Amino acid sequence: MKFYDYTTAPSPKRARMFMAEKGIQVETVQVDLGQGEQFSDWFRQLNPRSTVPVLQLDDGTCLCDNSGIAAYLEAAYPDPPLLGTSAKEKGLVASWNSRVDQEGILAVAEAFRNKAKGFKDRALTGARSHAQIPELAARGRVRSEDFLDVLEQRLAETPYLAGDVFSVADISAFLFVGFSAWIKLEIGDERPNLQRWYDQVASRPSARSL
């Protein structure tokens, strides 16, 4: 396998942390997003969407998003399980991971990419250019802060997002909290349960390796 990465980007960090939890080591190729290498002909042959991460399998198949990468690696390397074991656990993991994506990570991206000067005409990832919309930056910040409160409430009830066991949902949420710092949002003293959980996840070897 071969993993196409960009070290500072939030999205491939999720895949790296997932692989680290499973003890998987693969050849890594850095794609310089800052220099627009994701739009090069060679990379577009791997992923026409021009995004990272990409996991290229031994037969040449390319998995071009975190969901597909996680599903493949979980099936190929089942221990330790990160997508749940029982039917209930699998459902909770999938549900919370989806919420983190939709309500958290996409909200921060909305806030950041619609305001940062370096993303002029790049408000959305992908092969096409899209103009920034300042109103979406403001909305994304509100949505991001709201989701921090959602996590605080959930983590007051359970050690990890899907229950008693660490899962991919926690990986996604950990990266969401870190990504929130890009728009100057912090956990704050008013979210002690989120802070407890964040410190616990940050102490894991997979998080320290990012």
Side-chain angles (χ1 to χ4, degrees):
M1 293 188 296
K2 189 178 294 185
F3 182 66
Y4 293 85
D5 189 10
Y6 185 59
T7 303
T8 59
S11 190
K13 285 184 180 181
R14 287 205 276 172
R16 292 206 309 272
M17 191 168 174
F18 192 95
M19 289 189 286
E21 284 286 333
K22 288 184 173 287
I24 301 169
Q25 295 184 344
V26 299
E27 179 184 354
T28 298
V29 177
Q30 292 294 321
V31 182
D32 192 338
L33 305 189
Q35 296 298 316
E37 196 171 7
Q38 71 271 33
F39 303 120
S40 63
D41 290 341
W42 73 266
F43 187 73
R44 284 188 172 184
Q45 289 180 3
L46 300 173
N47 181 11
R49 294 167 55 215
S50 299
T51 58
V52 289
V54 174
L55 182 66
Q56 186 177 32
L57 308 185
D58 292 339
D59 68 356
T61 299
C62 289
L63 303 174
C64 302
D65 60 71
N66 277 293
S67 294
I69 290 170
Y72 174 82
L73 293 177
E74 183 84 349
Y77 304 88
D79 293 317
L82 294 174
L83 301 186
T85 52
S86 69
K88 176 182 176 180
E89 201 172 80
K90 288 176 183 290
L92 285 169
V93 169
S95 178
W96 275 104
N97 198 51
S98 178
R99 287 196 68 179
V100 174
D101 266 335
Q102 298 297 321
E103 300 176 42
I105 291 171
L106 288 180
V108 177
E110 184 177 70
F112 181 74
R113 296 184 71 99
N114 279 288
K115 186 174 183 179
K117 293 181 179 179
F119 285 89
K120 185 179 184 296
D121 296 323
R122 295 296 306 157
L124 294 174
T125 60
R128 292 176 64 100
S129 295
H130 294 275
Q132 292 175 320
I133 302 174
E135 292 82 2
L136 290 182
R139 186 183 73 175
R141 183 178 178 83
V142 172
R143 291 176 61 213
S144 301
E145 190 155 19
D146 286 346
F147 195 64
L148 289 174
D149 292 335
V150 169
L151 294 180
E152 168 64 20
Q153 182 178 357
R154 173 60 175 170
L155 293 166
E157 304 167 350
T158 186
Y160 296 103
L161 282 185
D164 294 329
V165 180
F166 180 85
S167 74
V168 69
D170 297 288
I171 293 175
S172 297
F174 180 75
L175 271 299
F176 156 69
V177 174
F179 192 19
S180 296
W182 289 29
I183 59 171
K184 296 181 170 53
L185 280 182
E186 298 180 354
I187 292 174
D189 295 338
E190 69 275 19
R191 302 185 184 98
N193 294 292
L194 180 56
Q195 187 66 64
R196 178 267 310 162
W197 166 89
Y198 185 83
D199 292 342
Q200 188 173 351
V201 175
S203 69
R204 299 177 75 90
S206 62
R208 294 199 302 269
S209 69
L210 294 177

